[in-house]
Amino acid sequence: MTKQNHKTGFLVAVMVFCAIILRVLGKFDILIVPGGIVRSLIYIALYIGWGISVSKRIIQVQVRHYLIAVSCLLVFWFVIRTTNYFFTADAEIKRQLWYGYYLPMLFIPLFSVFVAVSLGRPANARLSKTTLLLYIPTVLCLLLVLTNDLHQLVFSFPEGEVWTDKNNGYTFGYYFVIGWEILCALAAFIIMLIKCRHSQRKKYLPFLLLICSIGYALIYVSGAEWMQLIGGDITAAQCLMFTGILECCIQCGLIQTNTGYKELFEAGAIGAQIVDSDWHTRYSSSNALALTADMMRSAEKNAAMLDNNTLLRSSKIDGGYVLWQEDITDITALLEKLEENRKTISESNDVEQENYKTKVKINTVREKNRLYDRLQAQTAHQIELLDQLLTQYEAEPAPDIRRSLLAKAAVIGAYIKRRGNLMFIGEKSNVTDTVELSACLDESFANLELMGVECAIDIPGKNSIDIRDAIRVYDFFEAVTEAAMDDLRFVWLKARSIEDAVIFYLQAESKSELSALSMLADTCTCEEGVWRFSLRIGKVGEQA
């Protein structure tokens, strides 16, 4: 219990004690009427104050409304009770006011049930229609009491006497009404007890007060003189007990309140503080850092760094701001670890990239060496022939012969070059076209003309052929050229495209014996020193 609660409890105790003193004085015929009125005003002020306190403390709308209604009923009860005792002499009016006691007596327990049912529900939740049906038996009980003069099913009166609360008896209706009150009170408390999720500490207090209230009512009704002398009137006692029961439910957590947050906020370890519009601290948790106004303003729109591991955030609230510290130690450590990993990965990537580049270079060199070795193997004869020609060129003194040797070397060199191009094309694709073959032959023919050989070539169109067939044609041309190189006079090459093949015709005038090359061609004839060959190759690599 907080210091404020101690003060409030002490004030209530003083007020109740004063009311008891006034009642005792009235028993001795001292200040009966003034003391009784002041005593009533004390209780009325007490219940009005309790109602105002409830309106400020209770969060849930329905719970707050029903507790305020209970407070109003308590005030109403005391008003009609005071009117009955001090301001009315007519027996008929006094009896009707006495019947009016049962309006708060019946509806206070009912509203307590509604309070219990509303606990733990959303702030604006409404009671179900089934729960509101409890109004029906309560209203019927009240009507039974208010119409007692017609049937005397609740209170009975002796014949020939004035009907008052001094000479009445009780019939079955009275016990039905009292039973309904007790049932509602017990149901309200049991529902609160079931719904409460807090500590069980001090929950016996409402229960003890409830037992006392029921016991007092039963003893008072029995007419025991000692209770009439000690307990006073039932209105004052029951109102106090009803209020005490509900307040105990609030204090022990059966009814949740909007109090204790300042202490909770200060005791919390959330590193937060609440400031007003001028940045003056109003509330602060125990571990909140001392902040200057400038530091607070820096976090007004965006989060501000207090240090490497602390982030200050703020949010606008009514009348000021709430600021809280956010520990980002783990995030900072994680970022540092990520940065360290990034550097490590970056260094590793640099090494991997260098290794990759080195591997690419090695593989490139290996591929080049493989291709060069393959070219060397396929042109070994021409390389050897070229070497012989160049050796003869170095040793030959005669300019005409040197020029002839150099021309022959140029022819062999052009072949080696172009043969390599065809081989490289074959590494990427199995198909080429007659244009590429024509370019190879053009270069070879251009070098043959340096030897004084008349040349003519005619390869029309662009036809796709197998790269192996292109190499076959070029190799055959080179074989004829090398075989007849010493006395070759003219070379003529023509290609003709038919539906599914390309036919190459080669004519060469030479006295050399070229019949050995007939096995490389499809046809071979010789007439007056002119050799005629033909090669038929399929288009797109298909042999016709």
Side-chain angles (χ1 to χ4, degrees), residues 328-393:
I328 58 172
T329 303
D330 294 339
I331 297 177
T332 302
L334 180 60
L335 290 176
E336 291 176 353
K337 185 64 177 178
L338 289 174
E339 179 62 21
E340 181 181 346
N341 291 341
R342 187 193 67 78
K343 291 180 179 180
T344 302
I345 293 172
S346 177
E347 293 174 358
S348 176
N349 286 340
D350 291 341
V351 173
E352 289 294 330
Q353 190 172 6
E354 289 300 322
N355 291 338
Y356 175 75
K357 289 180 180 179
T358 302
K359 290 180 180 179
V360 169
K361 290 179 180 179
I362 292 173
N363 290 334
T364 301
V365 172
R366 286 178 178 174
E367 183 65 13
K368 288 181 178 179
N369 289 338
R370 184 184 70 81
L371 294 175
Y372 290 150
D373 291 342
R374 182 180 172 189
L375 177 60
Q376 186 175 12
Q378 294 181 4
T379 60
H381 172 70
Q382 284 74 23
I383 293 173
E384 182 180 355
L385 180 59
L386 182 61
D387 184 63
Q388 292 176 2
L389 292 172
L390 293 176
T391 300
Q392 293 176 14
Y393 174 81

Side-chain angles (χ1 to χ4, degrees), residues 43 49 52 55 60 78 96 111 124 148 150 153 226-227 229 248 291 293 302 319 327 342 422 434 453 462 535 538:
Y43 283 119
I52 294 172
S55 68
Q60 216 271 0
F78 246 89
Q96 296 304 320
F111 288 162
N124 295 316
N148 183 72
L150 301 177
L153 295 178
W226 62 271
M227 179 57 73
L229 178 64
C248 284
L291 303 175
N302 298 306
D327 186 359
R342 187 193 67 78
L422 292 175
T434 53
V453 179
K462 183 178 180 181
L535 292 88

